[in-house]
Amino acid sequence: GVARVKNGGTGPGAGCHFKLYQDFDGIDRRLISDQAAGVLADAIYDFPFVVPVGVQKIVAWFGDHTNQPVNVDCYLDEITSIT
């Protein structure tokens, strides 16, 4: 999969974080990936990620940016097998 953060025209005060969690039951989660975007204006940051084998449910989270809205997307682009 790929997560994407696109900054606005003036750049945020701090980079937006992308976190991917394995979700066990809607409450208990385990962090799989934690990546942060930079603060350049109009920049696009892509964060590739791999969902480990055996993980059945994931939660994508974006946050920790300040001073300006950013656009975020998260794509799961390929499932190679389901067991």
Side-chain angles (χ1 to χ4, degrees):
V2 176
R4 173 173 284 174
V5 173
K6 183 182 183 306
N7 289 341
T10 58
C16 179
H17 277 253
F18 161 68
K19 295 182 182 185
L20 185 71
Y21 294 94
Q22 177 180 4
D23 190 331
F24 295 100
D25 56 11
I27 298 171
D28 295 319
R29 294 180 177 166
R30 180 178 64 92
L31 184 64
I32 295 173
S33 179
D34 183 359
Q35 302 177 66
V39 296
L40 293 175
D42 291 320
I44 295 174
Y45 299 90
D46 286 336
F47 305 114
F49 62 87
V50 175
V51 178
V53 174
V55 172
Q56 295 181 0
K57 184 177 179 184
I58 59 172
V59 173
W61 178 91
F62 294 90
D64 293 341
H65 57 82
T66 60
N67 299 330
Q68 179 184 339
V70 298
N71 295 319
V72 297
D73 294 298
C74 189
Y75 304 97
L76 189 56
D77 55 8
E78 183 176 344
I79 298 175
T80 56
S81 67
I82 297 176
T83 58

